[in-house]
Amino acid sequence: MADAFIPVVINATAFISAQYKQVLSGIKTAAAKMGRTIRVFTEDGFDKLDTQQWPQVMIATGTSLPFLRRVIAQMESEDRRVVLAGTDSDQFGGLVSCATHSRRTEMQQVLRYLLHCGKKNIALVGFDDHSINDRYRYHAALSLQDTLGISLTSQDAYRWTTEPENSFHTFFEHIQQYDAAICPNDVMAVSFANFLRNHGVKLPDDLFIASFGGMELSRWAKPGITTTRMDDFQVGQQAVTVWNLIRENHASGMVMKISLPSYIIPRESTAFIPDEAAAIPAHSHESADDFYSIPLVSALVRLDDCLSRRDSLDFKILSHLMRGESYESMGESLFISGSALRYRLHKIYNDVGAANRAAFEKMIHAHLGEGNPFEISDEDGENT
């Protein structure tokens, strides 16, 4: 019986990311509760798949707008329906459903938070002209200026088309006009913070930075980046809810859109000021393929994926490692054998693509700042 499984298609870049692994996990969990399995198909050879035995409705997710358009076009040509997990359906026509986050509400939440922090001169930095997510957030910010009573125009947006650093350099020429900046995602925010640090800008003294995504990378960067966290696992679960309702009402032409909430995590980049506007609810991730092919971006994404795999013992090991301790000293301090220590470090080095300890430390300093970003000083493991 075709409806016994849920077909899920995803592009290759998203398939290896921590964010979309959570989306897939949510889909799998919700499907299991319904007594169904999922079958995951990547973009390679998608056009050659025999979809005749598929259910009338399938789920699509990923970072590539062209890929999602291709999937939707093929499914609609076969009178099948698509549910998007993590990407807004508005841009794809009237018959596409979705479970996602509202980028407009997230942008409103971040702008309100910065206003609460006393920041009124806000710039948008690192927004990719080719990314649909970035465009959503960019237009949302401009449309909210009257509602929130701020002066934010297209002149305050520093965007890029070929290299992210171009927008950083242009912003830096006008940095005296601003007391805060919003980046479209955590990868861009960490890159921007590193650029500013290398140009003598002190964060958060000289500038506040806030972002979106809740990536593990933003937690360990120096400074830690204030960001919004979104429940990608819940996105996957709700996509299955939509899938089931659309499947049951396929003939009716029903379309559904579920918006999920997010919340702000205040960190050093905004001086840890708490979000007193958290009571205001905030109801995918997608960008052009070339964004993820940029070496700096791919390195940061890989580092984030590595950090998301680590447990509490791994982070203790990293803390001791970045203090410069020998393997023998680390083993004694953490009460683990030398072989167990080396096994864990080998996995960490392999996950980030570092050949050895020296290469790993160099990578960490390049992307997360000097010193020991993994210094753990409180019970729940957050760095200070």
Side-chain angles (χ1 to χ4, degrees), residues 33-87:
K33 291 179 180 179
M34 297 168 54
R36 290 182 168 83
T37 60
I38 69 170
R39 297 183 188 176
V40 180
F41 305 89
T42 60
E43 61 187 320
D44 295 335
F46 173 77
D47 296 331
K48 300 178 181 178
L49 289 174
D50 179 9
T51 61
Q52 295 305 309
Q53 300 304 311
W54 285 17
Q56 287 296 107
V57 186
M58 50 85 70
I59 296 175
T61 188
T63 59
S64 170
L65 180 61
F67 170 66
L68 294 177
R69 288 196 186 281
R70 194 168 80 247
V71 169
I72 292 169
Q74 180 170 330
M75 292 298 99
E76 289 184 345
S77 71
E78 299 174 4
D79 192 29
R80 298 173 187 272
R81 303 283 292 281
V82 176
V83 175
L84 298 175
T87 299

Side-chain angles (χ1 to χ4, degrees), residues 122-133:
I122 303 170
L124 307 176
V125 182
F127 283 65
D128 180 1
D129 284 336
H130 298 302
S131 167
I132 190 66
N133 280 358

Side-chain angles (χ1 to χ4, degrees), residues 23-34:
V23 173
L24 291 176
S25 180
I27 293 173
K28 183 177 180 180
T29 299
K33 291 179 180 179
M34 297 168 54

Side-chain angles (χ1 to χ4, degrees), residues 215-264:
M215 296 174 73
E216 189 74 10
L217 189 73
S218 64
R219 170 185 172 185
W220 298 102
K222 290 294 184 182
I225 303 297
T226 292
T227 183
T228 58
R229 176 160 292 168
M230 303 168 287
D231 191 340
D232 296 304
F233 182 82
Q234 186 65 224
V235 166
Q237 288 195 310
Q238 293 303 322
V240 174
T241 299
V242 176
W243 176 88
N244 192 45
L245 288 169
I246 297 300
R247 179 187 63 85
E248 292 178 345
N249 297 275
H250 178 262
S252 71
M254 175 188 286
V255 174
M256 287 191 65
K257 179 177 179 178
I258 294 181
S259 292
L260 295 106
S262 60
Y263 56 93
I264 290 176

Side-chain angles (χ1 to χ4, degrees), residues 86-103:
T87 299
D88 200 300
S89 60
D90 289 350
Q91 61 191 305
F92 296 102
L95 292 177
V96 182
S97 299
C98 68
T100 188
H101 307 282
S102 169
R103 291 168 185 81

Side-chain angles (χ1 to χ4, degrees), residues 15-323:
F15 188 66
I16 62 173
S17 76
Q19 176 183 359
Y20 284 93
K21 286 176 183 176
Q22 285 293 306
V23 173
L24 291 176
S25 180
I27 293 173
K28 183 177 180 180
T29 299
K33 291 179 180 179
M34 297 168 54
R36 290 182 168 83
T37 60
I38 69 170
R39 297 183 188 176
V40 180
F41 305 89
T42 60
E43 61 187 320
D44 295 335
F46 173 77
D47 296 331
K48 300 178 181 178
L49 289 174
D50 179 9
T51 61
Q52 295 305 309
Q53 300 304 311
W54 285 17
Q56 287 296 107
V57 186
M58 50 85 70
I59 296 175
T61 188
T63 59
S64 170
L65 180 61
F67 170 66
L68 294 177
R69 288 196 186 281
R70 194 168 80 247
V71 169
I72 292 169
Q74 180 170 330
M75 292 298 99
E76 289 184 345
S77 71
E78 299 174 4
D79 192 29
R80 298 173 187 272
R81 303 283 292 281
V82 176
V83 175
L84 298 175
T87 299
D88 200 300
S89 60
D90 289 350
Q91 61 191 305
F92 296 102
L95 292 177
V96 182
S97 299
C98 68
T100 188
H101 307 282
S102 169
R103 291 168 185 81
R104 176 182 172 83
T105 308
E106 285 179 340
M107 178 59 77
Q108 182 179 39
Q109 189 178 22
V110 170
L111 285 169
R112 284 182 182 274
Y113 170 72
L114 290 175
L115 289 172
H116 162 68
C117 294
K119 307 302 178 183
K120 296 183 179 180
N121 302 309
I122 303 170
L124 307 176
V125 182
F127 283 65
D128 180 1
D129 284 336
H130 298 302
S131 167
I132 190 66
N133 280 358
D134 289 11
R135 291 203 299 270
Y136 269 133
R137 291 189 170 116
Y138 165 74
H139 290 295
L142 297 188
S143 69
L144 287 165
Q145 59 172 320
D146 290 335
T147 302
L148 299 178
I150 57 175
S151 176
L152 180 62
T153 72
S154 60
Q155 299 300 313
D156 300 307
Y158 298 87
R159 303 158 73 181
W160 62 277
T161 54
T162 56
E163 292 291 339
E165 280 209 0
N166 293 342
S167 65
F168 300 167
H169 282 287
T170 306
F171 169 83
F172 189 68
E173 295 174 2
H174 304 276
I175 191 172
Q176 298 302 324
Q177 300 177 22
Y178 303 101
D179 51 24
I182 298 174
C183 293
N185 55 66
D186 291 339
V187 167
M188 196 58 60
V190 172
S191 302
F192 182 47
N194 288 339
F195 171 88
L196 292 175
R197 183 179 64 247
N198 292 335
H199 285 74
V201 178
K202 296 180 180 179
L203 304 175
D205 296 348
D206 299 332
L207 190 78
F208 274 24
I209 295 178
S211 182
F212 305 90
M215 296 174 73
E216 189 74 10
L217 189 73
S218 64
R219 170 185 172 185
W220 298 102
K222 290 294 184 182
I225 303 297
T226 292
T227 183
T228 58
R229 176 160 292 168
M230 303 168 287
D231 191 340
D232 296 304
F233 182 82
Q234 186 65 224
V235 166
Q237 288 195 310
Q238 293 303 322
V240 174
T241 299
V242 176
W243 176 88
N244 192 45
L245 288 169
I246 297 300
R247 179 187 63 85
E248 292 178 345
N249 297 275
H250 178 262
S252 71
M254 175 188 286
V255 174
M256 287 191 65
K257 179 177 179 178
I258 294 181
S259 292
L260 295 106
S262 60
Y263 56 93
I264 290 176
I265 306 172
R267 294 201 176 105
E268 187 181 357
S269 69
T270 59
F272 296 103
I273 296 176
D275 178 22
E276 294 185 2
I280 301 172
H283 294 328
S284 331
H285 173 87
E286 179 280 322
S287 66
D289 291 343
D290 58 349
F291 175 77
Y292 288 91
S293 67
I294 297 170
L296 173 62
V297 173
S298 61
L300 286 171
V301 169
R302 186 167 185 176
L303 177 57
D304 177 73
D305 187 50
C306 168
L307 295 175
S308 70
R309 297 168 184 261
R310 309 279 68 91
D311 59 20
S312 59
L313 178 55
D314 283 335
F315 282 118
K316 289 178 182 178
I317 290 172
L318 288 174
S319 181
H320 284 266
L321 181 81
M322 297 304 293
R323 292 175 193 166

